Amino acid sequence: MRISWAVRIFLLAAAASIAGAGLADQLPHSPAWGPGVFFAVWVFFMFGVATALVKQRKHELDLVAHALRTFPAEGSVEHRELAAQLPDIAHSMESVRLKQERAVNLLDEERTKLATMLDSMRDWVVAVDIGGYILWANQPIRQALNGAVGSGKPLVNAVRDPEVLLCMRVALDDAVLAERRTSGLLPGHIHDVTAAPISGGGAVIVMRDATPIERAERTQREFIANVSHELRTPLTSISGYVETLIDHEESLSPMARSFLDIILKNASRMTRLTEDLLALARVENREDAANPVPLAADRIVQDAIASVRGLVVDSGAKLSTGELSKQMVMASSDQIVQVLSNLIENATRYGRTRNGDPAAVEVSATQDGDMVRFAVRDHGIGIGSEHLQRIFERFYRVDKARSRETGGTGLGLAIAKHIIEEHNGKIWVESDLGAGSTFIFTLPLAASFSAP
């Protein structure tokens, strides 16, 4: 509130009078001293007050004069131009204000739509800043955790699952997508956790309940394992009786013997299929858990070649070895020899040339950084690019008719993939039509191995 000049002078005069009276009381009580000193103090203060007020008033007048000098004179060209521009300026300012309001309203609408959409999801969604503090959480996770997930709180205080916190730290520190699976968020539930970095720092964490999928997959694996187990006994009986008839019945007609050969062939194929199904079920259920120990890479190759030597001789294939590293890798001997033997067997079966010449297969093991790269190469007709991404799926066959002729079950590569991933390695295929195929898998060196 602005104080008038009269009030200012009155207040300062009163202050000066009080100060003079106080000073007079401090001096010796003499008729000559008291009034004179009081008057002198009063005059001194009033002079100072007047001087200060004059200076302040002069400063204000100078500001007003400067403003008047810089403002166009009424009737001048500048004044008319400014007056003419004032409506446009006011209109422009109003337009800017309206645009800002519309932009804010649109942002609020988009934010509301996004929040509604995320709240309608069954997945749990949490956004955190670079320090791990919660910025936003959707309704499902707030309900599931009884409101423990609130804005401004550290995520570690609300969600104590180590897999979730590990995903968050990887996304925040390394700015890469992180994925894990956990069973510690809710009792009896399994969640797939994904954490993705966001621009400007922070991360979005999505937790999806995978319990129904996991339950269905477990039921499927158990069903396949049980059926396969039940089929083993009758198939073994069929094969045994057919072999007995073929070996001991000299009176069989050529047609009967042909039929028995067909029965034996299909029974044997069914037996291999059930064995592969049981092996796949054991691998997926982790019943045959990998127990890797340090093994020499060249010894693994030699053991695998020895296990398929009879098959190679029967097929007429040419099997050779390339570079064989002597580095120690972490591997479960039986499982890795099974994988390598399966790849060699496939190469001898499907690696024939277009002319029908026997396959020429080369096996190698070379060091590649902190891994050893095992490769099985053939010079056959190759595999089309459309099959390369699916060839490790269960029951997937590039050439179904040819696979049946050779006795393949379509499960060998799926089993191999599970085993290699269990060993912290990778498996893939490189192929061009007409140029052969190379199946490759890697195993970590013993010195750099870390359990999955």
Side-chain angles (χ1 to χ4, degrees):
M1 181 177 65
R2 188 173 181 83
I3 302 175
S4 67
W5 286 96
V7 174
R8 294 182 194 179
I9 294 174
F10 175 77
L11 292 175
L12 292 174
S17 300
I18 294 172
L23 181 61
D25 290 339
Q26 300 297 323
L27 296 174
H29 295 281
S30 171
W33 280 89
V37 171
F38 174 81
F39 180 75
V41 171
W42 187 85
V43 171
F44 175 79
F45 273 95
M46 287 302 297
F47 180 77
V49 167
T51 303
L53 292 177
V54 169
K55 288 183 178 180
Q56 183 174 359
R57 182 62 175 171
K58 182 177 182 302
H59 177 68
E60 292 182 356
L61 291 175
D62 289 342
L63 291 177
V64 172
H66 177 73
L68 292 175
R69 285 195 303 270
T70 56
F71 193 82
E74 185 176 358
S76 65
V77 176
E78 292 82 359
H79 185 272
R80 288 195 298 271
E81 291 178 351
L82 180 60
Q85 293 174 1
L86 284 176
D88 294 335
I89 295 173
H91 179 72
S92 299
M93 294 176 63
E94 182 66 15
S95 299
V96 171
R97 185 184 67 80
L98 292 176
K99 289 180 180 178
Q100 291 176 343
E101 288 183 357
R102 284 195 295 268
V104 171
N105 291 335
L106 287 175
L107 289 175
D108 287 340
E109 290 178 3
E110 293 298 325
R111 181 178 179 277
T112 302
K113 290 179 182 178
L114 179 60
T116 303
M117 180 183 67
L118 293 175
D119 284 339
S120 65
M121 296 173 58
R122 297 181 62 184
D123 300 340
W124 298 356
V125 183
V126 179
V128 297
D129 62 15
I130 195 169
Y133 287 84
I134 299 171
L135 298 174
W136 185 86
N138 69 342
Q139 187 175 1
I141 189 171
R142 295 198 304 268
Q143 292 178 344
L145 300 183
N146 298 322
V149 182
S151 299
K153 297 180 180 179
L155 183 65
V156 66
N157 290 349
V159 180
R160 299 183 180 274
D161 185 82
E163 303 296 341
V164 176
L165 300 178
L166 176 61
C167 281
M168 180 188 72
R169 290 273 36 118
V170 171
L172 292 177
D173 297 341
D174 302 334
V176 296
L177 183 71
E179 296 178 336
R180 305 286 288 188
R181 172 165 284 194
T182 180
S183 58
L185 282 173
L186 287 179
H189 288 257
I190 298 173
H191 286 80
D192 289 330
V193 183
T194 303
I198 56 179
S199 59
V204 175
I205 305 166
V206 179
M207 290 156 274
R208 172 168 295 177
D209 191 352
T211 308
I213 298 175
E214 180 66 22
R215 187 180 297 118
E217 291 179 349
R218 186 185 305 112
T219 302
Q220 180 185 18
R221 290 193 297 266
E222 292 175 354
F223 172 78
I224 291 174
N226 292 334
V227 170
S228 301
H229 182 75
E230 293 298 327
L231 288 174
R232 294 176 68 182
T233 301
L235 287 172
T236 302
S237 298
I238 292 172
S239 298
Y241 283 122
V242 171
E243 289 174 353
T244 301
L245 288 174
I246 293 174
D247 293 339
H248 296 86
E249 286 294 331
E250 300 296 338
S251 60
L252 288 174
S253 65
M255 182 176 292
R257 187 174 293 275
S258 174
F259 289 163
L260 290 174
D261 287 338
I262 293 173
I263 294 172
L264 180 60
K265 178 180 178 181
N266 283 279
S268 299
R269 181 172 177 273
M270 286 294 295
T271 300
R272 288 195 300 272
L273 179 60
T274 55
E275 294 294 339
D276 284 350
L277 284 171
L278 286 171
L280 182 61
R282 287 194 297 268
V283 172
E284 290 182 338
N285 290 329
R286 298 182 180 271
E287 294 178 10
D288 291 341
N291 296 307
V293 296
L295 295 173
D298 58 341
R299 181 61 183 271
I300 294 175
V301 174
Q302 293 167 4
D303 291 344
I305 291 175
S307 68
V308 296
R309 191 176 303 279
L311 176 65
V312 172
V313 172
D314 293 341
S315 66
K318 298 178 181 178
L319 182 60
S320 61
T321 57
E323 180 182 350
L324 296 180
S325 172
K326 296 184 179 297
Q327 290 285 350
M328 304 297 288
V329 296
M330 294 301 295
S332 178
S333 178
D334 292 340
Q335 291 185 343
I336 298 302
V337 168
Q338 176 187 352
V339 171
L340 195 53
S341 301
N342 181 271
L343 296 180
I344 297 172
E345 183 178 346
N346 287 346
T348 59
R349 287 177 175 175
Y350 307 113
R352 290 179 176 271
T353 64
R354 294 186 181 274
N355 298 327
D357 296 332
V361 181
E362 181 183 82
V363 185
S364 63
T366 57
Q367 184 175 353
D368 184 9
D370 59 354
M371 310 288 282
V372 171
R373 174 184 172 119
F374 294 82
V376 179
R377 182 184 179 188
D378 66 64
H379 300 275
I381 62 175
I383 303 171
S385 59
E386 69 273 15
H387 301 293
L388 298 181
Q389 297 298 323
R390 301 190 58 192
I391 198 168
F392 292 97
E393 295 179 7
R394 287 174 286 185
F395 299 109
Y396 187 82
R397 297 182 177 91
V398 175
D399 188 341
K400 295 182 180 179
R402 190 177 181 186
S403 178
R404 291 191 185 97
E405 290 178 3
T406 57
T409 64
L411 293 173
L413 292 179
I415 295 172
K417 181 181 179 181
H418 278 283
I419 292 175
I420 296 302
E421 289 179 349
E422 188 76 9
H423 282 75
N424 254 15
K426 295 182 180 179
I427 185 169
W428 70 96
V429 59
E430 298 173 356
S431 182
D432 292 314
L433 285 176
S437 305
T438 304
F439 283 83
I440 305 164
F441 68 87
T442 58
L443 292 176
L445 292 173
S448 61
F449 178 78
S450 60

